[in-house]
Amino acid sequence: YLDGLVLAEACLKVKRYLSSIFYAEHFADVRFRGSTSDISILLEKLAREPSQGNFLSRDISGFPPSSGLKSSNEESTSLINDAIKCFEIMVEATRALKQHDHLEALRAKLSDIRLLAKKYTLDSCDHWNHSSPQETLRKVDMAMSETSGQAQLTALNCLSDLRLNNTLRATIEGLASRPENDVNFGSTLRDKWFEGCLFGNSMESLRESPAESTHTLPSAYGLAAGFAESVFTALQSFAVDDYENARVHIENARYSTLVEVEEIITETSSHAEAIDKLNCLNDMECAIHQQESGMFPVLKWGRSETPGMIIERSFVHRKHQPEPCFTDRVQEVILGHLATQQNEKSPVATQILSSFLWKTTEAALDSSRLQTVMRHLSSIHGGDCSRHEFFQVRHLQARIEETNGDFSSAIRNASQSLERLSLFPIRSQHDETRAELLVACGQWMAHYRVDSGEKILKEYLEPGMELAKKIHSRDGRGKAAAWRLTEACIALGDLVFSIYENTSERIKSPAWKEQGASLRARDRELKEVSAVASQQLKQKKKNETIDPWLKELAIYRQNLGRDVGQIRNERAKVEGSINEYKQIALKTLVQLLSVADDSYKFMSKFVYRMVSLWLSSGKIVEHTQMDMIPSYRFVAMSTQLFSRLTHSGLPLTRLVKRLVSEHPYHSLPQMVRLAGSSENASAHERDEEKASIANDILSEAKSDSPDFLASLVENYETLIRSYNALAHAKTDDLSRGGNKKIDFLVALKSQSQKLRLDKCIRSRPCPPCILTQPPPVRPNADYGSGVDDPVGGERIQSFESNFSIAESGITRPKIVMCIGSRGGRFKQLVKGGDDCRGDAIMQQVFHYVNEIFAQERSARARQLRIVTYNIIPTSATSGVLEWVENTMPFGDYLVDRGPKKGSSVGAHSRYFPGEWGSSLCREQLKKAYPDKQKQKETLETIYKLHSPTFRFFFVERFGHSANLWFEAKTRYTRSVSTTSFVGHVLGIGDRHSNNILVHQGTGEVVHIDFGIVFEQGKLLQVPERVPFRLTRNVVDGFGPTKTDGSFTAASYETMNALRQNSGALLTILSSIVADPLYRWSISRSPKLVRKRQELLGKVQKGTQGKEAEKAKEAEADGIEVDSNEAAEQAVRKVKEKLNGFEDGTAGEQQSTKGQVHFLINLSRDLELLSQMYPGWAPYA
């Protein structure tokens, strides 16, 4: 038989780390008869009851070990020792893979097991590597006296990461003198020393031999030179034109790199460091070859023939490059060497070197690599520096200070530079620097709130934007000028919008309303006092002495009038500033969206912000410059724009017409839906005005250019009507006999052939594109002539002649297969009797959340995202959904499926056939309802008799490759994290096991059916108690770390990204959920929708009595809620969560980490889970 532990240890020794983790986990699974995540619980039980271990002595093969049976105490001891060994292997493999999210949790579990075994072993310092270099240096300082090299190597890696190269070399020279160093450690010290030389030396000193210093280093002991030593020596040879020797050292460096790659090529997916090393070796070979041929060696770098473009390749992913970056340093050294040569090439090399240093410095500063910035800055500042470069250096120094947290010095230096620049005339070469300094200084002052917003606007940001605008116009709208103007607009827009929002919040606050009520009361008092004073003065006889109390009354009236006037003026000023700031923000956003380059990503925030302002308070804000903005910016928000069409909103109507004309494949489905909004809609859902406007726009589009648009509009109208006909077709009788395929002819026999989906657009010119797969949005609106397929899109050729009925869902959606013009097959879900607009809105929010993740460095590094799919509402009660291929419901994998669902045996029955099944567990929970104590006891019993099994999903789907198995588990864990916490913030409920799909190719989870959002689940008959689904089976897929490893780390990053971008997220939610065509209600289940339609319909026909009372009760129960009020309440709740306020914390504001742990604990709380609806399956 195979000993899984020995196999895992063997894989570890040959550096097959993922395979080692794979076999260690499976050994533990069989050895301990359960998931590795429960090992510590099991061993704690064994420590109390050793006899419980008799039945556990089986290995990965399933057979008893050859050593025979052991006594209870021996078996318990053996189990604990095996557990320790198993986790030591996983810890070592995880450390080698640099999977720091898992490492700390694994080490914690290992410590727990050691405590059970009474082995009080202190942890070494190797697990500190995941901390910041500064923090790690402080921690490792205590272990520097150890004789092993681990602590010293950790310290050296920190010094290398911090680019403290001279300190690194001095430390190595001290460590090298120790006699106890072994061969491998000595070789590592030697290569680290050369790395310090390579990055620490000036370019002139690289030509000098390091022999005087290397005599203190350990020799290579016959081992091949390391990468850094080979590169350093190759550069020295290049400097003295010894190209043959340089090539030898380059080959040595390449061999060293390939050895590293060979060790990791099948185990990890990150090869950034190896790619960087190979790139720098390729650049050195290119330079040598072109030097020998008499060519200028840097012209080919970056695949460009233009001097100055050599670093373009390096800058493609500059922010994601490893540190140190050998490619940058090698290019810098070679350029520096050529610049010092006294020949015709040196001036060009000097110019290119200067450009190179500026660009690499800029990129390093954006990535917070401050040591690289300082080194490059000293190179720039140390040479001949023009006046223009001097001010650029000053600007760079100010940015470094601000990055380091010294904002006062940064603002002071920027202000001083601006004062000196003011001495030079406008339209000079300093305009660019002046504009950048104005914007930067204004941003810092606004961020740190060192002055009033109004002053920052007037003195810094507005002049900065005006100057950037002049430069943009003067320089022929070049790319650099466009980026400068974009940054200026963003800075100004952020501040103005912040002031606008703060002022709006102040006016809406209870304190403002209380002050208004107090002002009105005092105003009434002032009038009363004035009336009394006037009456007394009239009654006073001539020459009669004025009573003292009347004098006091006059003084009181004067003071009261002054106080009331002051408060009234202040309130008028604040209320009057709202429109002023709104107009400034709109003007700035229009400018921004007009000039921003297409390569400037993540502009959605500003589009949503502009639309939110433009359509604020339900009124169209007139703005004549809307036509300046390219229409493609608004495609993502077309749903919200279309829903606000009115006869009085001419600018909006003009924009919508542009969208329909320029982006028909994205706009026409929604416009056709709006034009037919009166069909299949109840009386209160109809909007005749919008339908009339939509029909007018479509009629105008048919007569407008391009020529194919008329045919396209007609085809989309026919297609949408056909989808609606199928969605509302009665198929109950057809599906009772178990028919898996239903012919369109049979299902729609009462309909015209023109409305049959399989016949509706056949042989028509200019057919629509696949509804669930529109082409990518083209900024230039070039989608072709209407004959060929649009770029990146595919037109509908036909549909299969039959369809099937979904196995689940109250409305039993239809499944159709759409065939594209290029042969693509697109499965679609056609739903009727349900409003899909809420689901489409959630997908819209998810798209923007993915943009937030893409902007945040830590979230991007973990590849956090939410899997999205397209949803196209075709009417108020129907829609078409993209079928997410290669997925299965979470519950379908776990539980058995009957004949109606395909007759399959679930994982639980296969792996634990003697335990309670899902049906029995559900019945037991139903019996315990509503006794809360009994519910808790029942769930505890179920936990003992129903084991989690989802970990086997990854073994079955990805077990053929340890790499794929590990990646799928990691993706699964992170996707559960993102969907759980984003879902909690948005209040998404009804997350039962059939509303969560698992992708069988990637392991990611996909959530469907968003009928319960914004905390509506708490208002159900059986309220939802937990924030998100984190049941035992969900956690079982995380592996031995459970929620403590990668899940918690991804959760930190998810909540941190959401909270840091809370303003943008709330702006988007405000503009989305306030859709006047959609009403957020407590429940949108089909039964309640039908009940609402029936009851309200009867009342509107004049029926009185019981029906009217029932209608009122339905509205009181939340079937109908005022849309604006519900939208504001939804956004308000989201804001509270993003600010760290959670229900059940007594109003305490939590930190990001505290909030994450609180929600995780809440989701796993046994008592709360036991009170969930049994059909939700809290045990699964």
Side-chain angles (χ1 to χ4, degrees):
Y1 70 98
L2 294 175
D3 189 325
L5 199 59
V6 173
L7 190 56
E9 194 169 11
C11 290
L12 182 65
K13 288 182 178 179
V14 296
K15 299 183 179 181
R16 289 298 180 261
Y17 303 117
L18 292 177
S19 299
S20 177
I21 296 173
F22 179 84
Y23 288 114
E25 282 199 27
H26 286 282
F27 165 80
D29 189 49
V30 179
R31 180 77 165 107
F32 304 103
R33 295 295 297 274
S35 171
T36 50
S37 61
D38 298 323
I39 284 180
S40 56
I41 299 174
L42 173 65
L43 294 179
E44 186 175 357
K45 182 178 179 182
L46 286 175
R48 297 192 303 267
E49 305 175 46
S51 61
Q52 295 293 322
N54 286 334
F55 71 98
L56 296 173
S57 58
R58 292 181 180 274
D59 202 354
I60 194 171
S61 62
F63 294 97
S66 58
S67 57
L69 295 175
K70 301 178 182 179
S71 67
S72 298
N73 289 330
E74 289 176 341
E75 178 62 14
S76 178
T77 303
S78 174
L79 282 168
I80 291 176
N81 289 335
D82 284 350
I84 291 174
K85 185 64 178 177
C86 181
F87 270 86
E88 284 177 344
I89 290 172
M90 286 192 283
V91 165
E92 181 62 26
T94 305
R95 184 191 62 79
L97 291 168
K98 299 181 180 179
Q99 294 290 332
H100 302 305
D101 288 350
H102 299 281
L103 183 59
E104 192 64 29
L106 283 172
R107 295 186 68 88
K109 287 195 172 293
L110 178 58
S111 297
D112 291 344
I113 298 172
R114 283 173 174 168
L115 285 174
L116 289 173
K118 298 181 181 180
K119 296 183 178 181
Y120 307 111
T121 305
L122 293 176
D123 293 335
S124 62
C125 63
D126 59 351
H127 69 292
W128 292 336
N129 291 332
H130 70 287
S131 305
S132 65
Q134 297 93 329
E135 183 181 351
T136 303
L137 267 180
R138 286 194 296 269
K139 291 179 178 179
V140 83
D141 181 68
M142 298 179 293
M144 283 295 288
S145 60
E146 297 178 5
T147 56
S148 65
Q150 185 61 56
Q152 291 87 343
L153 186 58
T154 301
L156 296 179
N157 287 331
C158 292
L159 293 173
S160 177
D161 290 341
L162 293 170
R163 294 269 59 88
L164 302 176
N165 299 296
N166 294 326
T167 305
L168 174 67
R169 291 167 56 196
T171 304
I172 291 173
E173 290 169 8
L175 291 174
S177 61
R178 294 187 176 184
E180 63 270 11
N181 293 326
D182 59 23
V183 174
N184 291 328
F185 186 66
S187 178
T188 302
L189 287 180
R190 186 180 181 88
D191 202 53
K192 280 288 180 185
W193 186 88
F194 276 100
E195 183 182 308
C197 290
L198 179 61
F199 284 91
N201 283 13
S202 63
M203 290 169 283
E204 290 78 8
S205 59
L206 280 170
R207 292 196 294 269
E208 301 173 1
S209 173
E212 296 180 0
S213 299
T214 54
H215 73 279
T216 62
L217 294 177
S219 63
Y221 297 103
L223 299 176
F227 177 83
E229 181 177 355
S230 298
V231 171
F232 185 88
T233 313
L235 287 172
Q236 285 186 316
S237 300
F238 178 83
V240 295
D241 299 334
D242 186 359
Y243 302 131
E244 183 176 352
N245 191 40
R247 285 195 176 93
V248 172
H249 292 296
I250 290 173
E251 286 304 313
N252 291 338
R254 181 174 284 111
Y255 174 79
S256 174
T257 304
L258 292 177
V259 169
E260 294 178 12
V261 173
E262 185 181 14
E263 293 178 356
I264 67 171
I265 192 69
T266 60
E267 292 292 307
T268 63
S269 58
S270 176
H271 309 295
E273 295 179 10
I275 292 172
D276 172 52
K277 291 178 178 180
L278 293 174
N279 274 339
C280 87
L281 298 177
N282 180 65
D283 287 342
M284 292 172 66
E285 286 183 324
C286 176
I288 291 172
H289 173 72
Q290 295 186 13
Q291 277 285 79
E292 290 178 332
S293 61
M295 299 172 61
F296 194 57
V298 296
L299 290 181
K300 292 290 184 181
W301 290 359
R303 300 176 184 174
S304 173
E305 298 292 339
T306 306
M309 296 296 290
I310 61 168
I311 40 80
E312 287 303 315
R313 180 193 62 204
S314 302
F315 275 85
V316 173
H317 299 292
R318 175 70 59 188
K319 293 184 180 180
H320 311 294
Q321 282 195 335
E323 181 72 20
C325 181
F326 288 96
T327 303
D328 283 356
R329 183 55 175 161
V330 165
Q331 291 182 359
E332 180 186 351
V333 169
I334 293 177
L335 283 171
H337 168 69
L338 295 174
T340 58
Q341 303 300 300
Q342 299 299 321
N343 55 40
E344 69 281 359
K345 300 175 184 177
S346 57
V348 179
T350 301
Q351 180 184 0
I352 296 175
L353 175 62
S354 176
S355 174
F356 173 87
L357 290 174
W358 278 112
K359 290 183 179 180
T360 51
T361 300
E362 186 75 24
L365 186 58
D366 289 341
S367 301
S368 299
R369 294 182 286 157
L370 297 183
Q371 289 299 125
T372 301
V373 175
M374 296 301 294
R375 178 165 55 81
H376 287 182
L377 196 59
S378 64
S379 299
I380 296 170
H381 199 53
D384 294 333
C385 185
S386 66
R387 187 167 60 186
H388 177 59
E389 289 178 330
F390 169 78
F391 285 113
Q392 286 183 310
V393 169
R394 292 273 296 181
H395 181 200
L396 200 57
Q397 289 173 334
R399 291 176 61 190
I400 294 171
E401 290 166 340
E402 195 275 333
T403 303
N404 277 326
D406 188 5
F407 68 89
S408 58
S409 297
I411 294 173
R412 182 176 60 253
N413 288 341
S415 299
Q416 290 174 352
S417 297
L418 284 170
E419 288 178 8
R420 297 187 63 180
L421 282 169
S422 64
L423 302 175
F424 301 99
I426 300 296
R427 299 183 62 83
S428 69
Q429 62 176 341
H430 304 301
D431 284 355
E432 292 86 352
T433 306
R434 182 188 286 112
E436 292 168 6
L437 280 169
L438 283 168
V439 172
C441 194
Q443 278 183 307
W444 298 334
M445 295 176 75
H447 180 73
Y448 296 106
R449 300 182 180 181
V450 299
D451 216 328
S452 67
E454 187 175 356
K455 182 177 179 181
I456 295 170
L457 283 176
K458 301 299 181 184
E459 296 185 7
Y460 293 95
L461 294 180
E462 286 184 345
M465 193 187 80
E466 290 301 320
L467 186 55
K469 192 188 300 184
K470 290 178 181 177
I471 297 170
H472 181 252
S473 302
R474 186 180 69 206
D475 294 354
R477 301 180 182 274
K479 188 170 184 179
W483 274 70
R484 187 180 296 108
L485 180 54
T486 299
E487 294 291 337
C489 290
I490 289 175
L492 178 60
D494 282 344
L495 178 58
V496 174
F497 188 74
S498 175
I499 295 173
Y500 169 78
E501 277 199 319
N502 292 336
T503 307
S504 298
E505 287 294 324
R506 182 184 177 189
I507 291 175
K508 294 177 183 178
S509 68
W512 184 267
K513 294 177 181 178
E514 289 176 6
Q515 187 192 49
S518 175
L519 179 63
R520 289 190 295 273
R522 300 187 75 180
D523 195 35
R524 287 194 299 271
E525 182 184 3
L526 177 62
K527 292 178 181 178
E528 292 172 358
V529 170
S530 299
V532 170
S534 299
Q535 184 179 6
Q536 290 297 323
L537 288 174
K538 287 180 180 179
Q539 293 176 355
K540 185 180 75 69
K541 297 179 181 180
K542 192 174 182 180
N543 299 325
E544 184 179 353
T545 305
I546 300 177
D547 291 338
W549 71 269
L550 195 56
K551 292 182 179 179
E552 292 179 5
L553 185 64
I555 295 172
Y556 177 72
R557 182 184 63 176
Q558 183 180 4
N559 293 336
L560 182 61
R562 187 183 298 114
D563 191 21
V564 169
Q566 184 178 353
I567 295 174
R568 184 182 290 113
N569 291 338
E570 181 184 345
R571 289 174 64 87
K573 182 178 179 182
V574 171
E575 292 171 349
S577 66
I578 287 288
N579 287 331
E580 178 185 353
Y581 286 124
K582 180 188 291 185
Q583 293 302 323
I584 296 175
L586 278 170
K587 181 180 178 181
T588 306
L589 288 168
V590 168
Q591 182 74 58
L592 168 63
L593 297 174
S594 302
V595 302
D597 190 83
D598 294 339
S599 61
Y600 200 102
K601 298 181 180 180
F602 314 124
M603 295 298 294
S604 298
K605 173 177 72 174
F606 305 106
V607 177
Y608 282 103
R609 181 181 293 177
M610 204 214 75
V611 171
S612 178
L613 288 172
W614 190 38
L615 306 178
S616 59
S617 303
K619 299 176 182 178
I620 301 298
V621 178
E622 296 290 341
H623 208 286
T624 57
Q625 293 181 310
M626 284 300 299
D627 291 340
M628 295 171 53
I629 304 176
S631 60
Y632 78 92
R633 301 278 192 200
F634 299 99
V635 170
M637 279 210 72
S638 54
T639 300
Q640 284 72 45
L641 292 172
F642 291 1
S643 66
R644 287 167 171 80
L645 283 172
T646 61
H647 287 300
S648 60
L650 296 180
L652 177 58
T653 304
R654 187 167 62 249
L655 175 60
V656 169
K657 289 179 179 179
R658 287 175 58 203
L659 283 169
V660 170
S661 175
E662 297 176 8
H663 305 279
Y665 300 103
H666 307 86
S667 304
L668 282 177
Q670 300 175 60
M671 186 55 60
V672 171
R673 172 183 64 83
L674 191 61
S677 59
S678 297
E679 301 174 11
N680 299 317
S682 59
H684 75 284
E685 288 180 323
R686 293 180 186 140
D687 194 322
E688 302 293 346
E689 182 185 17
K690 289 180 174 55
S692 173
I693 297 172
N695 279 299
D696 291 343
I697 292 174
L698 291 176
S699 299
E700 186 175 330
K702 291 177 183 179
S703 60
D704 197 3
S705 59
D707 297 335
F708 68 87
L709 194 56
S711 299
L712 194 62
V713 170
E714 293 177 356
N715 289 335
Y716 268 109
E717 289 174 334
T718 303
L719 180 66
I720 296 300
R721 282 198 296 269
S722 300
Y723 271 122
N724 289 336
L726 177 62
H728 296 286
K730 304 298 182 182
T731 57
D732 296 341
D733 296 336
L734 299 175
S735 58
R736 284 174 184 169
N739 295 330
K740 291 187 177 181
K741 293 290 184 180
I742 302 173
D743 196 285
F744 279 104
L745 180 61
V746 176
L748 300 173
K749 56 185 177 182
S750 61
Q751 300 283 352
S752 168
Q753 183 171 338
K754 294 180 180 180
L755 293 181
R756 277 179 50 187
L757 195 60
D758 60 331
K759 300 287 186 181
C760 63
I761 59 170
R762 185 170 291 181
S763 302
R764 284 180 176 239
C766 193
C769 281
I770 308 296
L771 205 62
T772 52
Q773 289 289 334
V777 176
R778 306 279 291 175
N780 60 357
D782 181 14
Y783 297 98
S785 61
V787 178
D788 299 326
D789 291 338
V791 177
E794 194 168 351
R795 296 185 187 278
I796 297 175
Q797 180 174 312
S798 62
F799 288 84
E800 286 189 353
S801 60
N802 48 47
F803 63 92
S804 57
I805 307 294
E807 297 171 353
S808 61
I810 299 176
T811 58
R812 299 296 302 275
K814 289 86 173 175
I815 302 171
V816 301
M817 182 64 72
C818 181
I819 301 172
S821 54
R822 298 179 184 175
R825 298 174 65 81
F826 303 89
K827 189 181 287 188
Q828 298 171 340
L829 202 67
V830 183
K831 296 183 71 173
D834 195 8
D835 194 341
C836 297
R837 288 175 291 185
D839 297 64
I841 285 173
M842 285 297 109
Q843 294 300 316
Q844 195 174 353
V845 177
F846 292 162
H847 274 290
Y848 181 71
V849 170
N850 283 338
E851 284 194 18
I852 291 177
F853 289 151
Q855 294 177 70
E856 297 295 328
R857 187 178 304 167
S858 297
R860 185 174 60 238
R862 289 177 172 83
Q863 298 179 326
L864 301 185
R865 69 163 187 155
I866 300 175
V867 178
T868 60
Y869 52 94
N870 288 318
I871 300 176
I872 296 87
T874 54
S875 76
T877 56
S878 58
V880 182
L881 289 74
E882 178 185 1
W883 185 275
V884 186
E885 295 288 350
N886 200 23
T887 59
M888 68 181 304
F890 189 86
D892 281 5
Y893 174 78
L894 299 173
V895 302
D896 302 340
R897 304 176 68 194
K900 293 183 179 180
K901 296 187 177 183
S903 299
S904 64
V905 180
H908 185 265
S909 297
R910 286 186 277 116
Y911 290 99
F912 299 97
E915 294 188 347
W916 282 12
S918 178
S919 299
L920 181 56
C921 295
R922 185 167 56 252
E923 288 301 320
Q924 293 298 318
L925 281 176
K926 285 183 179 179
K927 290 179 181 178
Y929 181 80
D931 188 331
K932 294 183 178 180
Q933 181 60 33
K934 192 174 181 180
Q935 285 177 308
K936 182 179 179 181
E937 293 172 356
T938 301
L939 189 59
E940 287 176 340
T941 303
I942 291 173
Y943 277 6
K944 297 175 183 178
L945 300 174
H946 186 87
S947 301
T949 54
F950 194 71
R951 61 189 180 277
F952 297 111
F953 173 85
F954 301 99
V955 179
E956 294 175 2
R957 271 35 175 208
F958 309 98
H960 58 282
S961 167
N963 188 25
L964 294 177
W965 170 82
F966 187 82
E967 286 184 356
K969 284 184 63 179
T970 302
R971 287 197 190 101
Y972 165 79
T973 303
R974 290 172 176 170
S975 66
V976 170
S977 169
T978 55
T979 54
S980 296
F981 281 87
V982 172
H984 166 67
V985 169
L986 298 174
I988 298 174
D990 197 28
R991 297 300 89 198
H992 58 74
S993 58
N994 285 327
N995 275 347
I996 302 176
L997 311 180
V998 186
H999 199 286
Q1000 300 183 81
T1002 65
E1004 294 173 292
V1005 297
V1006 185
H1007 284 246
I1008 61 173
D1009 194 357
F1010 303 101
I1012 296 179
V1013 294
F1014 297 124
E1015 304 293 334
Q1016 296 167 8
K1018 293 182 178 180
L1019 303 176
L1020 297 173
Q1021 184 178 3
V1022 180
E1024 295 194 345
R1025 301 293 187 184
V1026 294
F1028 41 78
R1029 188 176 192 88
L1030 204 59
T1031 55
R1032 291 198 304 161
N1033 268 302
V1034 173
V1035 175
D1036 194 50
F1038 297 165
T1041 60
K1042 295 201 290 187
T1043 59
D1044 296 330
S1046 181
F1047 178 81
T1048 297
S1051 301
Y1052 288 159
E1053 297 305 331
T1054 299
M1055 283 305 298
N1056 190 52
L1058 294 177
R1059 289 178 66 160
Q1060 287 187 349
N1061 294 272
S1062 60
L1065 188 59
L1066 290 170
T1067 299
I1068 288 172
L1069 284 173
S1070 298
S1071 60
I1072 287 178
V1073 302
D1075 188 338
L1077 291 185
Y1078 187 79
R1079 289 177 168 82
W1080 299 102
S1081 57
I1082 290 176
S1083 177
R1084 291 190 295 112
S1085 69
K1087 291 182 179 179
L1088 286 180
V1089 170
R1090 286 196 294 271
K1091 179 182 177 183
R1092 176 185 63 187
Q1093 293 172 345
E1094 293 170 1
L1095 295 179
L1096 290 176
K1098 290 180 180 179
V1099 174
Q1100 288 170 357
K1101 289 178 182 178
T1103 304
Q1104 301 296 326
K1106 294 182 179 179
E1107 287 79 12
E1109 292 298 322
K1110 289 181 180 179
K1112 292 179 181 179
E1113 290 174 5
E1115 291 187 54
D1117 287 340
I1119 299 175
E1120 183 66 45
V1121 178
D1122 178 74
S1123 61
N1124 290 333
E1125 182 183 347
E1128 290 179 4
Q1129 184 177 354
V1131 174
R1132 194 181 308 119
K1133 189 63 179 178
V1134 171
K1135 184 176 182 179
E1136 289 178 3
K1137 294 178 182 178
L1138 292 174
N1139 288 333
F1141 295 100
E1142 294 288 348
D1143 294 341
T1145 58
E1148 179 185 358
Q1149 186 176 21
Q1150 296 176 310
S1151 66
T1152 301
K1153 289 188 175 182
Q1155 186 178 14
V1156 166
H1157 284 289
F1158 173 78
L1159 293 172
I1160 290 175
N1161 294 335
L1162 212 61
S1163 298
R1164 304 200 68 196
D1165 185 270
L1166 181 68
E1167 185 174 354
L1168 295 178
L1169 285 169
S1170 67
Q1171 296 171 25
M1172 292 291 291
Y1173 180 65
W1176 193 84
Y1179 49 83

